[in-house]
Amino acid sequence: MVEKPNLYLNHTKDEINSYLEKFKVIVKRGNFFIPQHEKRLKNKEFIYKYRLTTRKQQKMLLSIDTLDFCYSIDDDKNCEERLYIFAKEFDLDSWGEQHVVLVYVKTVMKGNDYIVIVSFHEPEREIKKLFIERGIK
């Protein structure tokens, strides 16, 4: 039986602001990777469907803000790391048709110099934003 990772909803806005500050410095440098291998086909299909160049992906990631934060979970592959989950709406072009799309973004920071965007696709289930859903100011 596989254990579910711990889910964390006890973050403050200041913590997420701090995470995003580091995140954006790394993304601006272009030091991010969105896996598109066999286990991450959703990422690959999403990037293809909306014709997302690396530049467009970078622009989308840099637009994420604190209010887009949902929760964090332990990384089941590395107990020293935490995955941060965000959801943000984007106006995207799918081969000539415009769509407003909610994008699920799961990130893990590798030290202070690299980011892996584990998930970058439409959410598979309903997702709630921590600070908006709870009315935290």
Side-chain angles (χ1 to χ4, degrees), residues 62-121:
L62 290 172
S63 74
I64 292 172
D65 69 31
T66 302
L67 294 180
D68 298 320
F69 178 72
C70 302
Y71 57 91
S72 70
I73 56 175
D74 291 328
D75 186 345
D76 59 356
K77 295 184 182 24
N78 182 343
C79 63
E80 302 295 316
E81 294 178 332
R82 178 96 47 102
L83 300 163
Y84 287 77
I85 289 75
F86 299 87
K88 183 172 179 79
E89 281 190 346
F90 293 95
D91 187 18
L92 299 176
D93 179 327
S94 177
W95 302 92
E97 291 184 30
Q98 290 298 121
H99 300 271
V100 175
V101 182
L102 183 63
V103 181
Y104 174 84
V105 181
K106 184 189 302 181
T107 69
V108 62
M109 200 174 295
K110 301 291 188 175
N112 284 320
D113 53 20
Y114 201 76
I115 301 274
V116 176
I117 310 300
V118 178
S119 296
F120 192 71
H121 52 75

Side-chain angles (χ1 to χ4, degrees), residues 23-34:
F23 174 89
K24 289 180 180 187
V25 165
I26 295 167
V27 170
K28 278 181 189 171
R29 283 193 226 128
N31 293 345
F32 67 94
F33 172 69
I34 301 175

Side-chain angles (χ1 to χ4, degrees), residues 2 14 30 41 44 56 82 103-104 128 132 136:
V2 177
D14 285 342
L41 285 179
K44 183 178 185 174
K56 177 70 175 173
R82 178 96 47 102
V103 181
Y104 174 84
K128 294 181 180 181
I132 292 174
I136 298 171

